[in-house]
Amino acid sequence: MTDIHALKVELSSEIEAANDLQKLDEVRVSVLGKKGRITALMKTLGGMSPEERKTTGQALNVLKDEIAALIKSQEAALKKQEMEERLATETLDISLASRPERKGTIHPISQTIEELVTIFGAMGFKVAEGPDIEDDWHNFTALNFPPGHPAREMQDTFFLPEDPREEGEKAKKLLRTHTSSVQIRNMQETMKNASQDGGPPIKTICFGRTYRSDYDMTHTPMFHQMECLFVDKDVTMAHLKGCLTDFVRSFFNLDDLPVRFRPSFFPFVEPGAEVDIGYIKKPDGSIQLGKAKEGDEQKWMEILGSGMVHPNVLKNCGIDPETYQGFAFGTGIERLAMLKYGIPDLRTFFECDVRWLSHYGFDPLERPNSATGQ
Ligand code: PHE
């Protein structure tokens, strides 16, 4: 028994003397490990008389528990001490500037569409949609392009394989070359529901991707168009001129922006007109939209195609041209954005360059003229 007591005193002072975690672990292994001193003593129990084994066994178990508890508390004390030392010596430099956060921007196309929705929404137009994959009938024939007529060549069309489920012109699939095909779908849809809704008026605006085989600084194989359609009784060219003039002046924020209508040909309108807006060339060669002051030369650029919906187009959609008339116009959305925001190259719109986007894109919270009403 005295041995055990002496051992306890000795081991306690060894544990106390272990002043780091590694030394403490060495002590633990030398006492409680497989070849440890207490383990060795336990092994001697087998050679003792039952009486002796009982008392020594009990005493050894108590000793083992006490030593284990001592090691545990020494370990906790050492860990605490280590943490205190680290807290006292280590510092975190919170004065270092954080990395700047990347903020996304709104693409100029999205911004421009939103501005157009705001302008036409205020005039009572609803947004219409149609498919990018069209058929020959909706893209050309219904729009009064005669079969084989050179007018079809005006637009370099991407044709797709024929659709075996359809027949004739509806089987001839293509990527729509303009959003005018949406006019047709819009008028057909209206006439389908005419028995309940009573047919026109139709007052829609459509935005969407259009496709032509062309690529240079001002043409990309995919671009966006906007299309406006108004069909009602007694619609005249005066309505078209008024609506268009209001729209371009409002879009470019120029109350006196000169607007000029020039006769032009599109198979689906009669009469047809191209619309020009006025600008001046500044001495540095750049252009400025607006009215020329005295001494400056008034210059004009074409921005859209327009006209009165051709009677054949109305008939193709089941609308009686004797009762209803309409006007329509269409234009490229990129072109509007380039002019308004001074973007020189159309191709850059689709290159997905983040530097371009952060330069020409719009802060989502501070957009000009957007639907947020700023
Ligand atoms: N669809 C014509 C184009 O793509 C534009 C247009 C639309 C012209 C409506 C007249 C009326 O060039």
Side-chain angles (χ1 to χ4, degrees):
M1 286 301 265
T2 40
D3 279 356
I4 287 180
H5 182 73
L7 185 58
K8 183 183 166 183
V9 174
E10 191 193 328
L11 293 179
S12 305
S13 68
E14 264 181 46
I15 291 168
E16 222 171 289
N19 54 6
D20 65 40
L21 288 168
Q22 198 192 332
K23 278 185 200 143
L24 183 65
D25 199 53
E26 284 163 14
V27 174
R28 186 185 59 77
V29 172
S30 76
V31 181
L32 303 173
K34 262 194 199 153
K35 292 179 183 161
R37 275 179 281 174
I38 292 183
T39 321
L41 284 177
M42 290 283 198
K43 283 181 187 157
T44 63
L45 292 175
M48 292 180 187
S49 67
E51 213 36 37
E52 212 182 347
R53 188 186 308 147
K54 195 177 167 197
T55 46
T56 315
Q58 262 175 11
L60 278 176
N61 274 330
V62 171
L63 174 69
K64 195 176 146 193
D65 292 347
E66 281 173 346
I67 293 301
L70 272 180
I71 291 178
K72 214 168 171 194
S73 77
Q74 177 72 351
E75 186 184 341
L78 285 174
K79 280 189 174 159
K80 190 168 170 236
Q81 192 189 330
E82 196 179 320
M83 180 59 83
E84 273 162 8
E85 274 166 21
R86 277 183 65 188
L87 286 174
T89 53
E90 277 181 25
T91 51
L92 201 62
D93 185 0
I94 54 164
S95 64
L96 191 69
S98 63
R99 289 199 191 109
E101 215 172 276
R102 271 258 183 98
K103 192 151 80 168
T105 54
I106 304 287
H107 194 284
I109 295 284
S110 307
Q111 168 67 24
T112 304
I113 290 176
E114 220 171 275
E115 291 172 23
L116 294 167
V117 169
T118 307
I119 294 170
F120 284 97
M123 292 195 226
F125 286 85
K126 281 200 296 195
V127 175
E129 283 184 332
D132 289 23
I133 296 179
E134 261 303 356
D135 54 58
D136 193 87
W137 191 80
H138 285 92
N139 196 79
F140 291 126
T141 308
L143 285 161
N144 200 35
F145 285 79
H149 190 277
R152 287 180 189 241
E153 313 291 308
M154 276 163 66
Q155 306 178 350
D156 285 310
T157 312
F158 288 112
F159 287 100
L160 301 171
E162 294 226 346
D163 184 346
R165 292 164 303 182
E166 304 269 7
E167 276 176 18
E169 288 162 334
K170 296 211 170 148
K172 276 179 94 180
K173 295 287 180 193
L174 47 86
L175 293 177
R176 69 176 173 203
T177 57
H178 53 182
T179 41
S180 299
S181 53
V182 184
Q183 285 186 30
I184 302 298
R185 292 190 174 271
N186 222 213
M187 286 190 267
Q188 283 185 310
E189 192 62 26
T190 305
M191 293 318 288
K192 218 168 80 189
N193 303 324
S195 52
Q196 308 140 0
D197 307 348
I202 300 169
K203 212 173 169 188
T204 53
I205 175 128
C206 155
F207 307 95
R209 294 190 183 96
T210 47
Y211 307 83
R212 294 182 198 180
S213 176
D214 218 346
Y215 189 68
D216 60 34
M217 231 177 113
T218 49
H219 298 89
T220 48
M222 187 282 296
F223 59 104
H224 295 77
Q225 277 197 345
M226 174 206 94
E227 187 93 9
C228 179
L229 175 69
F230 180 40
V231 180
D232 203 353
K233 287 181 180 152
D234 304 321
V235 178
T236 71
M237 194 91 183
H239 296 115
L240 169 64
K241 287 185 90 169
C243 176
L244 260 174
T245 307
D246 276 358
F247 146 55
V248 286
R249 289 186 175 162
S250 160
F251 179 75
F252 290 108
N253 291 321
L254 286 171
D255 288 343
D256 61 349
L257 180 66
V259 180
R260 184 171 84 171
F261 287 72
R262 209 165 18 79
S264 184
F265 173 75
F266 301 95
F268 37 94
V269 286
E270 182 57 38
E274 267 171 347
V275 178
D276 300 335
I277 52 174
Y279 72 95
I280 53 161
K281 208 159 199 165
K282 296 208 287 192
D284 65 1
S286 63
I287 66 163
Q288 187 184 345
L289 293 181
K291 204 169 170 176
K293 300 202 184 65
E294 235 171 283
D296 287 332
E297 188 194 348
Q298 182 74 69
K299 292 187 169 289
W300 298 95
M301 69 171 91
E302 185 237 309
I303 55 155
L304 52 83
S306 71
M308 301 304 293
V309 180
H310 197 292
N312 288 348
V313 174
L314 293 172
K315 274 191 236 159
N316 288 338
C317 301
I319 297 177
D320 179 7
E322 298 297 326
T323 315
Y324 293 107
Q325 299 79 43
F327 71 68
F329 56 85
T331 184
I333 298 175
E334 288 81 358
R335 183 149 173 70
L336 294 178
M338 285 164 86
L339 275 172
K340 183 162 176 178
Y341 295 114
I343 306 173
D345 189 335
L346 174 63
R347 292 168 296 195
T348 55
F349 275 79
F350 311 116
E351 281 168 2
C352 302
D353 186 332
V354 178
R355 292 165 303 177
W356 184 90
L357 263 175
S358 57
H359 182 78
Y360 288 112
F362 293 84
D363 186 323
L365 300 176
E366 288 174 36
R367 284 187 284 164
N369 223 357
S370 71
T372 56
Q374 287 168 16

